[in-house]
Amino acid sequence: KQWYQRRVRGFAMGTAPLCGEQYPRTFSTTRIPCLVQDRIEHYTDSRHVAVLCGGKWYILNVIHAGRQLTPIELQKQIIWIEEASKTDVASPGEESLAVMTSTERTKWAAFRETYFSKGFNKHSLALIEQSLFVAVLDDSEPGYDANNPDMLDNYAKTMLCGKNIWYDKSFTLVCFGNGKIGINAEHSWADATIISHLAEECFNWDIELGYTPDGNCRGAPRDDMILPPPRRLRWDINNEAIDLISIAREEAMVMRQDLDLHILKHDAFGKGLMKKCKMSPDAFIQTALQFAYFKNQGKFSLTYESSMTRLFRSGRTETVRSCSSESCAFVKAMVDGKPAEE
């Protein structure tokens, strides 16, 4: 709340204020699958985060007795979840339940109505959907290795096509065993800049709050308050539903394998050099994309670039067609190696 109130009131491009309509939906928002058309639900009284750890779901209250938990208190609650997950046994179907949010929307809607409309399943699903966001504690250790470029590719694929991401939530925060993190955001409620600003604020707070020399959060829990431990969610998923979850998981694996994604680490220069050359970094990158595509394919293609329209009320994005007559002429001149008329 503190974050998006500050953003809504004070975010601007230069002196021009930008529409902040998207910010309040950052937390406590979910996309509900329906047979005809999905709907967006925003909850105003959420006080918890849904945590997936070791294939088990937990509810972590981040507000207790009218106050937000401090970083050190959150750390202790997360450690409690990690320890509990080592001995807790996942309910049948619980470990892969998140993949249902990646399947075809009509199938997910019918599944939800058939198997999650009553009892434990309905209650537990509601707690996930009404949470502030979903957090995944993943013990894998992705990263970058110059001698193993597949590591970075798999890191990105995990964040796009990971089996543990709850794709209906406004965003899923994945925390890996080596301290790396990733965020997967659902797109219908907002655009990429909103979640990017959230990540930027979190990094700033992380630096500002700091850690002790042994790597723990600073501060100490209040002695006058005993926090209740996180709660384990309960499920009653029958064999028919488990079979459908298994099918959805196989489909998700096929989608991941079909994704041709390779990440190149480029550190030879950045936007600073482009600006010194009095060039727009965006124009530089868009032209470079046109050049690379033409060299690879031998032709030009219509190109989509997203352009922010939040200078207007309720504005989100519009389309910029960066493949123009001028960009084509520039690319051809580069390929021919002959200077063209300016």
Side-chain angles (χ1 to χ4, degrees), residues 180-311:
K180 302 288 187 181
I181 66 167
I183 300 176
N184 182 288
E186 204 281 321
H187 194 17
S188 62
W189 67 272
D191 299 312
T193 52
I194 306 302
I195 206 71
S196 297
H197 294 156
L198 171 63
E200 183 180 19
E201 290 286 339
C202 290
F203 291 144
N204 290 336
W205 280 334
D206 193 55
I207 295 172
E208 180 180 337
L209 294 171
Y211 297 90
T212 62
D214 56 356
N216 291 304
C217 294
R218 295 187 184 278
R222 286 176 50 172
D223 296 332
D224 61 340
M225 184 175 296
I226 299 177
L227 296 175
R231 309 194 310 274
R232 173 77 189 280
L233 291 184
R234 302 177 66 183
W235 307 93
D236 183 16
I237 306 175
N238 62 33
N239 291 333
E240 190 176 69
I242 292 173
D243 291 340
L244 294 175
I245 293 173
S246 298
I247 292 173
R249 181 172 182 175
E250 293 296 322
E251 293 174 345
M253 291 177 64
V254 170
M255 284 192 292
R256 179 189 174 102
Q257 293 169 358
D258 189 51
L259 176 62
D260 188 11
L261 176 64
H262 301 281
I263 309 298
L264 173 66
K265 182 180 180 181
H266 174 72
D267 54 9
F269 60 89
K271 65 179 181 181
L273 177 63
M274 303 174 199
K275 290 182 177 180
K276 286 182 180 179
C277 296
K278 300 187 183 303
M279 289 185 289
S280 160
D282 177 67
F284 184 99
I285 294 297
Q286 291 299 319
T287 305
L289 291 173
Q290 296 294 326
F291 184 35
Y293 185 87
F294 187 84
K295 288 187 69 176
N296 182 261
Q297 298 292 321
K299 62 180 181 180
F300 295 103
S301 179
L302 290 177
T303 308
Y304 168 91
E305 182 188 7
S306 178
S307 176
M308 183 181 66
T309 58
R310 286 172 49 217
L311 287 168

Side-chain angles (χ1 to χ4, degrees), residues 320-338:
V320 172
R321 295 296 182 185
S322 53
C323 183
S324 62
S325 299
E326 292 78 9
S327 69
C328 291
F330 177 86
V331 168
K332 288 180 178 179
M334 290 287 289
V335 172
D336 294 340
K338 298 178 182 179

